[in-house]
Amino acid sequence: MAHYPITHHLTDDLLMSYAAGTLPEAFALVAASHVSLCDECRARLGAYEALGGAVLDTEAEAMTDDALERGLAACLSRLDRPAPVQRPAMRQGPLPGPLADWIGGGLETVRWRPLGMGVRQAILPTSRRATARLLHIPAGVAVPDHGHRGTELTLVLQGAFRDETARFGPGDVEVAGQELDHQPVAEPGVDCICLAATDAPLRFNALLPRLLQPLFRI
Ligand code: ZN
Ligand code: ZN
């Protein structure tokens, strides 16, 4: 995968949980995929992992927030440059390495199911605490507007989409929570392919998607 300018990143909470190994598999898959493409998040993840090790070596309860902050700053400063990663995604089209490994191949191995309006999805096997799906949204097409009962992570693999908050291009990840209602629209030109993970059903505003929801596990 080419080196895209990534502007939307994982939150610190997500990176910390990922470092601690407490994310549901579906979220961990999005995190691993984004980290494999993003030098910045990889560096922060490295710092959290180092900090986690440092905390385990001391009396965790004895550490004040100040001490933790100092420890994190120290870990961050020790990482001068993130190690260059190999980008196995190169040979897998738009799929980042961890995702290609997870599905066991490239996009041609994906078995898509129609969601309506030309949108297709493929649910990936993960633990049931959260659901991961690939979404293929034709260029210019809008996903039904919806809110969220939990957290939704959307990583762009190809193309781009816009919603009420911003534009998301390849490598960008949108972190949507209960406060956000949005209608993602794929940009014209190239079909948009995303990896999305949710830990609760979406809240669709229109009746039809609401009726079809259980069928699509979305
Ligand atoms: Zn990032
Ligand atoms: Zn959403």
Side-chain angles (χ1 to χ4, degrees):
M1 196 180 229
H3 206 124
Y4 295 107
I6 294 176
T7 48
H8 300 283
H9 298 275
L10 294 165
T11 61
D12 285 311
D13 277 357
L14 285 165
L15 282 169
M16 272 187 268
S17 305
Y18 181 54
T22 57
L23 285 182
E25 255 177 14
F27 285 5
L29 179 60
V30 177
S33 298
H34 177 81
V35 162
S36 78
L37 304 170
C38 178
D39 294 341
E40 190 180 319
C41 286
R42 192 164 50 253
R44 281 155 65 211
L45 177 66
Y48 286 129
E49 283 170 343
L51 180 67
V55 169
L56 288 179
D57 287 344
T58 56
E59 296 273 313
E61 308 88 75
M63 279 187 105
T64 61
D65 280 2
D66 269 7
L68 279 170
E69 296 255 341
R70 277 200 306 278
L72 181 59
C75 291
L76 274 168
S77 68
R78 236 176 287 141
L79 302 158
D80 24 283
R81 260 164 195 275
V85 280
Q86 13 114 310
R87 297 178 188 275
M90 296 275 272
R91 54 160 213 271
Q92 302 285 2
L95 296 190
L99 180 55
D101 289 348
W102 193 268
I103 66 178
L107 276 177
E108 73 286 347
T109 61
V110 174
R111 288 167 61 200
W112 297 100
R113 305 255 185 264
L115 270 181
M117 295 287 294
V119 180
R120 295 179 289 163
Q121 75 164 352
I123 294 180
L124 304 181
T126 63
S127 70
R128 298 189 72 87
R129 270 175 70 205
T131 305
R133 72 190 73 237
L134 287 165
L135 285 169
H136 182 130
I137 310 163
V141 166
V143 173
D145 63 301
H146 61 269
H148 310 89
R149 291 189 176 88
T151 301
E152 176 190 64
L153 305 182
T154 309
L155 172 68
V156 178
L157 306 171
Q158 173 192 299
F161 72 86
R162 285 175 189 278
D163 68 7
E164 288 76 351
T165 67
R167 173 190 187 271
F168 299 86
D172 282 334
V173 62
E174 179 174 37
V175 182
Q178 297 185 19
E179 69 294 341
L180 180 69
D181 261 55
H182 66 166
Q183 180 165 35
V185 182
E187 279 195 343
V190 184
D191 290 355
C192 183
I193 299 176
C194 299
L195 170 66
T198 46
D199 59 0
L202 301 180
R203 213 162 21 77
F204 287 104
N205 297 317
L207 180 61
L208 187 60
R210 224 154 57 216
L211 288 174
L212 296 174
Q213 215 170 349
L215 202 60
F216 297 140
R217 288 175 53 197
I218 199 163

